[in-house]
Amino acid sequence: MRTICFYFQVHQPYRLKPYRFFDIGEDHHYWDDFLNRSVMRRVAQKCYLPMNALLLELINKYDGGFKICFSMSGTFLDQMESYAPDVLESFRKLVDTGHVELLNETNGHSLASLKSKNEFKTMVRDHQEKIKKLFNGYTPKVFRNTELIYSDQIGEMIAEMGFEATLTEGAKHILGWKSPNYVYCNSIEPKLKVLLKNFQLSDDIAFRFGNKTWADYPLTTDKFVKWINNVPQSEEVINLFMDYETFGEHQWAETGIFEFMKHLPEAVFKHTNYGFSTPSEVVAKVPPIGKIHVPTPISWADEERDLTAWLGNDLQDEAFGKLYELEKMVNQIDDAEIKRDWTYLQTSDHFYYMCTKFFSDGDIHSYFSPYDSPYDAFINYMNVLSDFVLRLKEKLKEQEAEA
């Protein structure tokens, strides 16, 4: 039987508060607690709670025949503990069914895989420990890097950490004539299986569902089932990867997105030869068809499917470079608050807010940003980073004096 693999990213960043030049050296609390809590509670009511309830209903209805997987960033897990314990409990109920897989990722939802192998592995280990703590000892087998960022070299690092598989984008410029609807393997470490997002079918749900100007609007379960039935019989797995906030937040309930998901499994079971599987089940059942060669990093962002959403201009590159210049100092310091801020300052969203791409996807970038402009995001971040440097230097002096 062919299978559908549903994967949802669940992420909320710790947003910085407005931080002025005159705050440097005076104020060491960087986070907009009110905004972070407000966003978390809003999305909990619009997305997390109703969607978790729906998924639990579907899993129970089909006696485990319907399966899904999540990756939850460490910053989301921390905010869920602080601001939404009801959401945490609802995710635990899903995991307790045994039909929901949790994936490992970087604790800070960071871009560390592009800069520091040591920091990348530290972030992954910290995220593993957080998942174990919150979900009764759960140990993920599959990895999902921040924003589905992947390359041959990143895959090699993932394999070294013992993961069975990883997820990434089925980017056209990488696949060429190949299909994303197969299992592949890493070109350096073939033991690492690679699952590729079918971006056409995924984005039909995630981005086009409520778009009344879309030629295929409205998207119904009958129409979607027809499309997946048109996939050649030899292609064994359709990977539908998307933001969890698609449901109720990006696509409001009024669009019918919840009703679509409610009826999709029944339509699949009745009118196709597909089932549903988690990533680890897919790689256990379906052998790789061959190696996938990804010499330069890809992601699932924007039309280009590259890194330019985060590292595409001088603002982003300067901030990114200055941040990782601090890694050596941070590693010399044993201080919980500094370690926490270091983790949260690495979150990819800070660099996303600095994006100046307006020729194709600028409206999307501005929608997600709390800043008036990318330049405001850069100035605010660099002010915070300047204060963070002062804290690091002061802490190192204290440690030297105590030694």
Side-chain angles (χ1 to χ4, degrees), residues 149-160 163-168 174 178 182-196 283 287-296 298:
I149 291 172
Y150 176 82
S151 69
D152 296 334
Q153 289 71 30
I154 292 172
E156 183 181 24
M157 290 192 291
I158 295 167
E160 287 174 2
F163 293 102
E164 298 175 353
T166 192
L167 279 54
T168 192
I174 293 297
K178 298 175 184 175
Y182 294 100
V183 177
Y184 293 87
C185 63
N186 179 261
S187 64
I188 300 172
E189 286 286 356
K191 65 182 180 182
L192 181 77
K193 309 306 186 293
V194 182
L195 298 182
L196 303 177
V283 298
I289 196 170
K291 297 179 179 179
I292 186 77
H293 294 274
V294 188
T296 57
I298 58 174

Side-chain angles (χ1 to χ4, degrees), residues 53-64 66 97 99:
L54 173 59
L55 293 177
L56 185 61
E57 176 187 330
L58 292 173
I59 290 169
N60 291 331
K61 179 178 180 179
Y62 297 105
D63 194 26
F66 180 67
T97 65
H99 303 295

Side-chain angles (χ1 to χ4, degrees), residues 3-66:
T3 197
I4 294 170
C5 179
F6 258 118
Y7 154 75
F8 303 117
Q9 171 194 273
V10 197
H11 169 59
Q12 289 294 338
Y14 276 92
R15 298 160 191 85
L16 295 167
K17 68 182 182 183
Y19 195 90
R20 305 168 304 163
F21 174 81
F22 300 103
D23 294 324
I24 298 171
E26 301 295 329
D27 182 0
H28 302 322
H29 184 76
Y30 310 138
W31 314 106
D32 194 330
D33 299 327
F34 177 80
L35 178 60
N36 291 323
R37 186 187 188 283
S38 297
V39 171
M40 186 68 177
R41 288 311 316 176
R42 184 195 75 212
V43 182
Q45 297 305 317
K46 293 179 69 176
C47 170
Y48 304 141
L49 292 172
M51 191 59 180
N52 283 3
L54 173 59
L55 293 177
L56 185 61
E57 176 187 330
L58 292 173
I59 290 169
N60 291 331
K61 179 178 180 179
Y62 297 105
D63 194 26
F66 180 67

Side-chain angles (χ1 to χ4, degrees), residues 204-247:
D204 286 340
I205 299 172
F207 295 112
R208 290 181 280 274
F209 187 88
N211 182 2
K212 294 182 179 180
T213 65
W214 179 33
D216 287 304
Y217 179 87
L219 179 57
T220 63
T221 53
D222 289 342
K223 191 179 294 183
F224 197 78
V225 160
K226 179 182 177 182
W227 291 344
I228 65 175
N229 276 332
N230 287 338
V231 172
Q233 287 291 318
S234 61
E235 299 182 11
E236 298 168 284
V237 55
I238 295 179
N239 297 310
L240 301 177
F241 301 167
M242 62 198 73
D243 281 329
Y244 198 40
E245 291 78 12
T246 293
F247 302 93

Side-chain angles (χ1 to χ4, degrees), residues 111-159:
L111 305 175
S113 62
L114 304 171
K115 193 71 173 179
S116 169
K117 183 175 182 178
N118 288 335
E119 183 61 25
F120 178 54
K121 290 190 172 184
T122 297
M123 280 264 182
V124 174
R125 184 186 66 242
D126 290 347
H127 189 262
Q128 283 176 336
E129 292 304 313
K130 199 164 286 184
I131 290 290
K132 285 181 182 179
K133 172 192 160 192
L134 294 178
F135 293 96
N136 196 30
Y138 191 103
T139 303
K141 301 176 183 177
V142 175
F143 186 79
R144 178 264 185 203
N145 198 18
T146 305
E147 310 297 350
L148 292 189
I149 291 172
Y150 176 82
S151 69
D152 296 334
Q153 289 71 30
I154 292 172
E156 183 181 24
M157 290 192 291
I158 295 167

